[in-house]
Amino acid sequence: MAPDTLFERIIRREIPADIIYEDVHCVAFRDIAPQAPTHVLVVPREPVPGLDGPLDSALAGHLLHVANLVAAQEHLSAGYRVVINCGRDGGQTVNHLHLHVLGGRAMAWPPG
Ligand code: AMP
């Protein structure tokens, strides 16, 4: 069996995190190393390893919906960015799917 990821331990409240939203499908908490004034991670309770799946399309849609809810809750009315890093070249460091919700400053493009 695959070992628990850090995010599963946060979801189970074994590791502290600043959780700002949760429902039956996912949990959202503040990133420990924020890259913008607001930086929240939206994480499914189900331990999906990454965007490359296996991922149910209804869950994928729900996670995007929650990213938008979190942005509203955080008053990101000027806009925000949602990022999913996938795999080594994508810069993924935790093998549990997560959406970064970044806001509170203007974002540059292209990303590094
Ligand atoms: P990624 O590089 O896309 O896999 O994103 C992993 C994110 O998890 C990074 O932005 C880290 O700063 C964040 N992170 C790592 N450990 C923790 C933690 N204990 N609590 C909150 N965020 C964390």
Side-chain angles (χ1 to χ4, degrees):
M1 209 165 77
D4 277 355
T5 65
L6 174 65
F7 291 170
E8 284 167 82
R9 300 190 65 203
I10 287 175
I11 290 166
R12 289 202 303 263
R13 306 294 210 274
E14 291 170 8
I15 294 177
D18 186 1
I19 295 173
I20 63 161
Y21 173 91
E22 62 182 319
D23 63 27
V24 290
H25 300 297
C26 66
V27 173
F29 50 88
R30 297 194 192 281
D31 197 293
I32 202 167
Q35 301 301 310
T38 298
H39 187 172
V40 174
L41 301 173
V42 179
V43 180
R45 292 185 186 277
E46 189 184 328
V48 178
L51 188 60
D52 48 355
L55 174 61
D56 179 77
S57 58
L59 177 59
H62 181 73
L63 296 172
L64 284 173
H65 172 70
V66 169
N68 185 55
L69 283 182
V70 164
Q73 187 177 305
E74 293 292 306
H75 310 293
L76 301 179
S77 55
Y80 59 91
R81 181 171 289 175
V82 176
V83 172
I84 301 174
N85 296 324
C86 185
R88 185 190 60 202
D89 280 2
Q92 183 176 4
T93 60
V94 178
N95 291 326
H96 185 139
L97 176 64
H98 49 285
L99 285 65
H100 297 256
V101 180
L102 298 143
R105 65 168 171 82
M107 300 291 152
W109 192 264

